[in-house]
Amino acid sequence: MTPTLAVVGAGAKAVAVAAKAAVLREMGVAVPDVVAVERTAVAANWQADGGWTDGQHRLGTGPEKDVGFPYRSSLVPRRNAELDERMTRHSWQAYLISTGQFAEWVDRGRPAPTHKKWSQYLRWVADNIGMKAVLSEVQQISVDSGAAGPRWALHTADQTVHGDALMITGPGQPERSILPGNPRVLSIAQFWHRAAQCELISAERVAVIGGGETAASMLNELFRHRVSTITVIAPQVTLFTRGEGFFENTLFSDPTGWTSLTLAERRDAMIRTDRGVFSARVQEALLSDDRIRHLRGRVAHAVARDGRIRLTLSTNQGGENLETVHGFDLVIDGSGADAEWFVPLLCQDALDLLELGLGGPLTSDALQEAIGHDLAVTNVTPKLFLPGLSGLTQGPGFPNLSCLGLLSDRILGADIAAADGAPTVRSTGRSDEHQPIR
Ligand SMILES: Cc1cc2nc3c(=O)[nH]c(=O)nc-3n(C[C@H](O)[C@H](O)[C@H](O)COP(=O)(O)OP(=O)(O)OC[C@H]3O[C@@H](n4cnc5c(N)ncnc54)[C@H](O)[C@@H]3O)c2cc1C
């Protein structure tokens, strides 16, 4: 029996892994069946429906960082060049060529595609490979210990999908809000829903909570609305710009050497390049707009009073915790992206399994530090792949779009056996970032 890799979410990562599995299958290599369970549609988070964008904003990374990037496979000895060549048939350029858009894209100077165009590319790949997707929201995740051995069970409102291994994807739910139901507080999804309806926001004092890329893309949208001041609330010292030079970019595309850094060095590199930083493009726009300022702190409390939202910010100043209160006409809660969003879906048996593997309570640090080379939680069977949490131990490119081809190699190279022990592709056991055997 062929083992099944179940995936929560049919986004960029699911499409990349399914594409590589399809190509390996074409080459006669045994791979798991990849089945995604998706609550909305393939690549939904890149369209207005998903709640993370209105679809009109542009991709931050280059589209050439597509489902096969960096095209340095190391899964099948002596046939990796063939594997990469076959993967180029699912590349961004192949999509443009097949849809008659390639020459125009080149002549326009290779612009970053809108999120919507990126979703169309991902759907094109998914269609071409006949990706299996079950359209239903995963509401609970448990472990089924049937006679044949343990496997994951993904429960939706009307069915259960089983997997011999499980991969969790996506940034979580964009509906989170510090004051749900208050019309003066917008969640990420409510904000983008308004933008997609071309509704202009009109307010004097607006606060955006969050200093990461999600908040940055909302700021990029807010510029064109009728607002007098925009205050970005984030805990960091200032609104840092992401380094996008060759050396920073290389860290994302090629994690060779990442594991030889100390955890402190890795955390430092991630803070400089990934966490709470705005892209150079957004910073350039911020520079020319004098309505924007940064307020340092974490939102501890929010309350509606006298037609305003009063936010209590806590700031650490010289070791002392200082609390200050600030009033706004509108608050946009952009702090929603959360790589651990799936934890509340885990049933007690799944939590017990994880805590057993971790050797202690399930904490954010314990989970991140336990992610192994295959992007799964070490010592947990059946396998649980958490690429969104693998930045710290495996490289900062795995949680995002920076090296989807390498991510697919790591996952498909893992030892996933069906309950009856049928083998799948095995990695070559070497460092897969350099000099693959061809
Ligand atoms: C606005 C925005 C712009 C970004 N731009 C970039 C960029 O330019 N470059 C970059 O590298 N990274 C970018 N990122 C980061 C981005 O999240 C990841 O790079 C990328 O989405 C990861 O792909 P994924 O497959 O994990 O998730 P996604 O592509 O987000 O897919 C997750 C899927 O899971 C589904 N889902 C969620 N919950 C459930 C559930 N309970 N049951 C079933 N399905 C569910 C969603 O509907 C969605 O389709 C951006 C993120 C955002 C929010």
Side-chain angles (χ1 to χ4, degrees):
M1 218 175 80
T2 306
T4 298
L5 168 61
V7 184
V8 178
K13 295 193 183 85
V15 173
V17 173
K20 192 158 260 185
V23 165
L24 284 162
R25 209 170 293 119
E26 265 167 34
M27 291 168 63
V29 180
V31 279
D33 268 339
V34 180
V35 179
V37 185
E38 164 58 51
R39 71 168 174 168
T40 315
V42 174
N45 279 0
W46 301 95
Q47 298 246 12
D49 300 356
W52 290 95
T53 175
D54 61 353
Q56 301 310 316
H57 286 266
R58 292 187 184 271
L59 204 61
T61 41
E64 294 92 337
K65 289 199 165 188
D66 55 24
V67 298
F69 188 83
Y71 295 95
R72 262 198 318 246
S73 300
S74 59
L75 279 173
V76 202
R78 292 177 299 283
R79 296 185 69 192
N80 286 310
E82 179 192 346
L83 174 54
D84 285 337
E85 188 279 317
R86 286 174 181 260
M87 281 302 294
T88 62
R89 298 172 203 175
H90 304 293
S91 67
W92 166 250
Q93 273 102 332
Y95 160 69
L96 292 181
I97 292 166
S98 104
T99 52
Q101 306 177 73
F102 184 62
E104 183 174 340
W105 179 68
V106 172
D107 289 343
R108 287 187 185 278
R110 300 181 176 82
T114 60
H115 291 155
K116 186 173 175 197
K117 171 88 29 129
W118 185 246
S119 78
Q120 287 164 346
Y121 159 64
L122 293 174
R123 286 179 185 178
W124 174 83
V125 177
D127 283 348
N128 283 353
I129 58 167
M131 178 168 154
K132 290 184 193 164
V134 174
L135 283 187
S136 223
E137 178 170 359
V138 176
Q139 296 176 341
Q140 270 194 337
I141 301 174
S142 64
V143 186
D144 215 325
S145 46
R151 53 189 186 156
W152 294 102
L154 309 183
H155 306 279
T156 75
D158 49 11
Q159 59 184 307
T160 299
V161 176
H162 288 103
D164 300 292
L166 171 62
M167 173 166 77
I168 309 274
T169 70
Q173 314 309 342
E175 293 87 10
R176 198 164 82 180
S177 156
I178 37 159
L179 273 184
N182 188 303
R184 289 184 179 274
V185 180
L186 299 182
S187 67
I188 297 168
Q190 287 169 326
F191 174 80
W192 285 118
H193 181 71
R194 280 199 181 191
Q197 305 292 312
C198 297
E199 256 181 63
L200 269 193
I201 290 174
S202 180
E204 285 286 312
R205 298 193 66 198
V206 177
V208 174
I209 304 173
E213 202 57 46
T214 310
S217 65
M218 295 199 297
L219 280 177
N220 217 3
E221 167 63 27
L222 261 182
F223 290 146
R224 66 176 194 87
H225 293 253
R226 276 194 232 109
V227 294
S228 303
T229 62
I230 304 170
T231 304
V232 184
I233 300 173
Q236 55 264 34
V237 176
T238 190
L239 299 176
F240 290 107
T241 310
R242 180 166 51 228
E244 287 167 2
F246 168 73
F247 298 104
E248 287 106 338
N249 287 346
T250 305
L251 268 185
F252 283 76
S253 307
D254 179 2
T256 310
W258 183 255
T259 47
S260 60
L261 303 175
T262 63
L263 281 185
E265 285 170 330
R266 289 183 229 178
R267 284 199 172 96
D268 182 48
M270 284 168 74
I271 286 168
R272 280 158 178 271
T273 56
D274 197 30
R275 295 282 152 77
V277 287
F278 286 3
S279 66
R281 205 173 52 215
V282 170
Q283 287 285 19
E284 217 178 281
L286 296 188
L287 206 65
S288 57
D289 199 313
D290 60 6
R291 292 173 297 171
I292 296 172
R293 69 188 190 106
H294 168 234
L295 192 58
R296 188 176 169 215
R298 281 183 196 283
V299 178
H301 186 58
V303 64
R305 191 172 298 157
D306 306 329
R308 294 190 118 190
I309 302 297
R310 292 159 74 89
L311 298 180
T312 305
L313 300 199
S314 94
T315 327
N316 191 316
Q317 291 203 347
E320 268 187 49
N321 200 33
L322 195 75
E323 288 210 333
T324 49
V325 180
H326 306 261
F328 297 97
D329 302 314
L330 182 72
V331 172
I332 301 165
D333 188 349
S335 61
D338 175 12
E340 287 149 42
W341 68 269
F342 61 93
V343 172
L345 303 189
L346 299 174
C347 294
Q348 195 56 47
D349 56 358
L351 285 169
D352 290 347
L353 185 84
L354 274 182
E355 294 198 333
L356 203 67
L358 295 175
L362 193 158
T363 63
S364 178
D365 282 349
L367 253 190
Q368 288 188 62
E369 288 170 22
I371 306 290
H373 181 266
D374 59 7
L375 313 186
V377 187
T378 312
N379 294 331
V380 169
T381 309
K383 289 248 178 227
L384 176 62
F385 299 104
L386 298 178
L389 285 164
S390 61
L392 180 67
T393 56
Q394 300 307 321
F398 289 111
N400 42 69
L401 307 177
S402 298
C403 54
L404 291 170
L406 184 53
L407 173 140
S408 309
D409 278 17
R410 295 276 186 104
I411 286 165
L412 294 171
D415 200 355
I416 306 170
D420 70 351
T424 54
V425 65
R426 294 277 165 88
S427 80
T428 45
R430 296 166 293 104
S431 160
D432 54 359
E433 281 81 47
H434 273 167
Q435 297 163 347
I437 296 171
R438 297 201 175 252

